[in-house]
Amino acid sequence: MSFSDELRQENAQDWQACVDHRFVREIFAGAVPPEVMRRYLTQDYQFIDGFVALLGMAIATADRFDSRIRLAQFAAMITSDENTYFQRAFVSLGVPEAERAHPVLTAPTSGFQALMKDAAASRNYGSCLAVLTVAEWIYLSWADRPGEKLPPDFVHAEWITLHNNDGFRSFVTWLRGELNRIGAATDAAGRADASAFFRRAVTLERAFFDHIYE
């Protein structure tokens, strides 16, 4: 079994809770209440700055030039297509500028920000990869439902298609392969560090999905 599959299996309960979450069922049905979608996107937007910084550290600590290129290309997508989606969604949902930029952060949001800072501060490529892999793979896992009809509202539909298109699918496959490669090449302590970061990320992903309905 690959390193990434081992890590997912170790966190199977929280992982599956995300994939089968009420939010996932409702977004495919176009039935996420506007106030819930607003809360979800407003909190989620607070991850972009730290996420790009984490990508930057992964680029800096990667052991191959090809890996740096792949990560840099993904950073460009996050700061263009995904960022543009957020701005359009905020307009549609009536989110004022102040709330977009400086909302009151919830505990899962603060926890995920701290996780990304910790992974970046480790200056360890494997630790950065562990967090990045969870953040993208878990979204592909819930969004990739071939044949599922998309909801009519772009706020729902484009959040799905941002996370199930061919380019995203290819990047997640690459991320998993990269984590597997680094896991095979590192020592037990390095694998343990990556595993701990992976576990924190999955736990926080579940808490994030849960808290938007509270």
Side-chain angles (χ1 to χ4, degrees):
M1 182 182 294
S2 70
F3 186 42
S4 62
D5 281 329
E6 286 179 14
L7 296 179
R8 183 176 66 170
Q9 183 168 302
E10 289 171 3
N11 297 277
Q13 184 174 356
D14 284 338
W15 188 284
Q16 202 59 40
C18 293
V19 174
D20 297 330
H21 202 275
R22 172 185 174 185
F23 174 80
V24 176
R25 297 192 300 271
E26 289 186 353
I27 197 170
F28 270 97
V32 180
E35 66 276 12
V36 173
M37 198 70 194
R38 174 173 172 156
R39 186 180 311 121
Y40 175 90
L41 291 177
T42 301
Q43 293 295 315
D44 196 277
Y45 192 60
Q46 306 314 303
F47 299 144
I48 286 191
D49 182 47
F51 190 79
V52 172
L54 179 59
L55 280 168
M57 183 55 69
I59 292 167
T61 55
D63 59 336
R64 295 179 176 179
F65 180 54
D66 287 350
S67 300
R68 299 185 203 276
I69 291 175
R70 196 69 186 263
L71 291 162
Q73 289 171 337
F74 188 68
M77 189 284 291
I78 293 293
T79 54
S80 56
D81 293 352
E82 187 160 321
N83 189 59
T84 298
Y85 161 81
F86 274 108
Q87 300 309 318
R88 292 168 54 231
F90 288 150
V91 171
S92 178
L93 292 167
V95 182
E97 186 64 37
E99 188 178 342
R100 305 178 198 184
H102 303 291
V104 176
L105 299 183
T106 63
T109 301
S110 296
F112 219 106
Q113 287 184 334
L115 171 65
M116 292 188 291
K117 287 180 181 178
D118 289 347
S122 75
R123 297 181 176 272
N124 180 277
Y125 186 42
S127 296
C128 293
L129 278 175
V131 176
L132 291 170
T133 300
V134 172
E136 304 312 314
W137 188 12
I138 212 164
Y139 269 64
L140 177 65
S141 295
W142 70 252
D144 200 14
R145 300 187 175 195
E148 189 87 18
K149 185 178 179 181
L150 289 173
D153 187 344
F154 87 89
V155 174
H156 297 128
E158 288 189 27
W159 191 241
I160 295 169
T161 58
L162 277 169
H163 298 104
N164 70 1
N165 61 77
D166 287 344
F168 185 73
R169 192 178 296 110
S170 174
F171 180 69
V172 172
T173 299
W174 177 83
L175 265 182
R176 291 180 57 196
E178 193 78 343
L179 182 59
N180 294 338
R181 179 179 71 81
I182 295 300
T186 194
D187 58 16
R191 289 169 65 93
D193 286 344
S195 177
F197 274 108
F198 194 100
R199 186 179 308 110
R200 281 177 66 188
V202 177
T203 300
L204 283 165
E205 288 285 5
R206 181 177 184 176
F208 187 82
F209 277 119
D210 287 343
H211 94 286
I212 60 171
Y213 288 95
E214 294 173 355

